Amino acid sequence: MIKRLQSGAVLRLTINRPEKKNALTRIMYQELASAVADADSDESVHAVVMSGVDGVFTAGNDLDDFRARATDENPKPSAGLAFIKALMDCDTPVIAAVEGLAIGIGTTMLLHCDSVIAGRSATFKTAFVDLGLVPEAASTVTM
């Protein structure tokens, strides 16, 4: 669901789940965190570029996956926040190429990238705000 492709010194990470508007699951967060950490420790990688497929960056958390974690009696630490931490700790430049939706954590992660290139179709939304909740990962402070 996360495609990795290195071309020269650039590692491309593509969120590839078009049937769910590239909504992110725990496994996808783990794949992204691992890819970012690997890139940061690989001297042949000089930049990471993240994007989505089919004109969508990401619709944010997969709601079924999110609900399952919320009702789990022994939830594991948030894979989404572990991914954000990997972005924050990464010394290799991370560039996001955004088209279409960047919802919830899809917007939050952009705040922790070194550069964001947004197409005319880009739409940013922190969904928690509409629910009267504070967005994750210090989004309010970072914005």
Side-chain angles (χ1 to χ4, degrees):
M1 300 217 223
I2 303 300
K3 287 186 184 178
R4 288 189 196 199
L5 176 64
Q6 187 167 343
S7 177
V10 177
L11 175 64
R12 290 197 53 132
L13 301 176
T14 305
I15 305 167
N16 186 23
R17 194 173 177 223
E19 70 281 2
K20 293 285 188 171
K21 297 195 182 304
N22 299 328
L24 298 164
T25 64
R26 169 180 274 284
I27 292 168
M28 293 168 74
Y29 284 124
Q30 290 168 342
E31 290 176 9
L32 284 165
S34 175
V36 168
D38 291 349
D40 200 34
S41 65
D42 183 344
E43 292 183 15
S44 74
V45 177
H46 296 184
V48 176
V49 176
M50 288 191 306
S51 62
V53 297
D54 286 0
V56 175
F57 185 66
T58 177
N61 284 308
D62 176 279
L63 294 181
D64 291 333
D65 197 69
F66 197 66
R67 274 189 219 102
R69 182 177 184 275
T71 59
D72 189 340
E73 290 184 21
N74 296 304
K76 296 179 179 73
S78 169
L81 292 180
F83 165 57
I84 296 294
K85 180 154 178 21
L87 283 175
M88 291 170 57
D89 292 343
C90 186
D91 290 326
T92 302
V94 178
I95 302 159
V98 181
E99 307 182 89
L101 302 174
I103 307 298
I105 199 161
T107 293
T108 300
M109 74 172 75
L110 301 175
L111 302 172
H112 299 283
C113 293
D114 296 287
S115 184
V116 177
I117 309 299
R120 292 184 192 277
S121 66
T123 301
F124 307 95
K125 186 170 183 76
T126 53
F128 288 128
V129 173
D130 292 344
L131 301 173
L133 301 172
V134 177
E136 69 278 311
S139 299
T140 307
V141 173
T142 309
M143 282 187 215

